Amino acid sequence: AQAVHEAFMHGWMAYKRYAWGGDELKPVSKSRSNWLGGVGMQILDVLDTLWLLDEREEFDEATEFVSHLNFDKVKEAASTFELTIRAIGGLLSAHSLSGRKVFLDKALLLGERMLSAFATPSRLPAPLVFVGPSTPPMGVKEKIRKSMR
């Protein structure tokens, strides 16, 4: 168990150092990727792990990030599937474990912004969804339309 904890913390500290706020750490280049819209996906994805490993200081720092998370800064469409399982799932599990309302509030906000992904004739979700401001940047709507073909 200690080896798993240490391995996780090694990866987490590298993420914090080189990619904080990004969706993923690119370990070779020591940079970040924002392929999911720049919502800090790595942070949302590991909230439950930080809690279960009793890393309360790290969890509190991640909670602070979540409290300031602003979906209006998102500029690209992102995977509906990934946002559902990693972002909403991470936020809801963090709420369930910690009882902190900020996680439930952000999950509800993100879920509301994702509703357009389900406004399809079949009601099956579109592969991509835009969760940013109500007027997406040029080209985003076309990218979503193409993903549905």
Side-chain angles (χ1 to χ4, degrees):
Q2 184 61 32
V4 171
H5 189 153
E6 288 171 9
F8 172 84
M9 290 307 294
H10 174 77
W12 175 247
M13 297 312 266
Y15 170 80
K16 282 181 63 177
R17 182 173 181 182
Y18 300 112
W20 182 255
D23 291 331
E24 288 184 325
L25 166 65
K26 296 168 91 177
V28 175
S29 64
K30 296 180 181 174
S31 63
R32 67 185 188 178
S33 165
N34 283 327
W35 73 282
L36 289 164
V39 297
M41 186 62 74
Q42 189 69 35
I43 296 168
L44 304 180
D45 203 18
V46 303
L47 289 164
D48 54 352
T49 304
L50 289 169
W51 182 270
L52 292 171
L53 292 177
D54 201 29
E55 289 289 343
R56 294 303 188 264
E57 191 172 308
E58 298 296 327
F59 184 84
D60 290 343
E61 189 174 351
T63 301
E64 183 67 18
F65 174 87
V66 170
S67 73
H68 296 290
L69 185 56
N70 181 356
F71 297 115
D72 284 340
K73 293 181 178 179
V74 173
K75 306 261 188 280
E76 289 288 330
S79 166
T80 303
F81 176 77
E82 296 290 340
L83 285 171
T84 301
I85 65 165
R86 295 177 65 194
I88 291 180
L91 290 164
L92 291 177
S93 65
H95 171 70
S96 179
L97 290 166
S98 71
R100 296 184 188 179
K101 190 172 182 312
V102 64
F103 300 119
L104 181 59
D105 292 343
K106 291 293 180 176
L108 287 170
L109 177 61
L110 181 56
E112 288 170 0
R113 288 181 176 227
M114 291 180 66
L115 284 175
S116 65
F118 298 89
T120 63
S122 67
R123 294 290 185 231
L124 293 174
L128 298 175
V129 64
F130 181 70
V131 297
S134 59
T135 306
M138 214 163 173
V140 170
K141 284 184 180 180
E142 183 59 27
K143 185 177 180 181
I144 293 170
R145 273 191 220 102
K146 283 182 180 178
S147 77
M148 294 174 63
R149 292 183 189 151

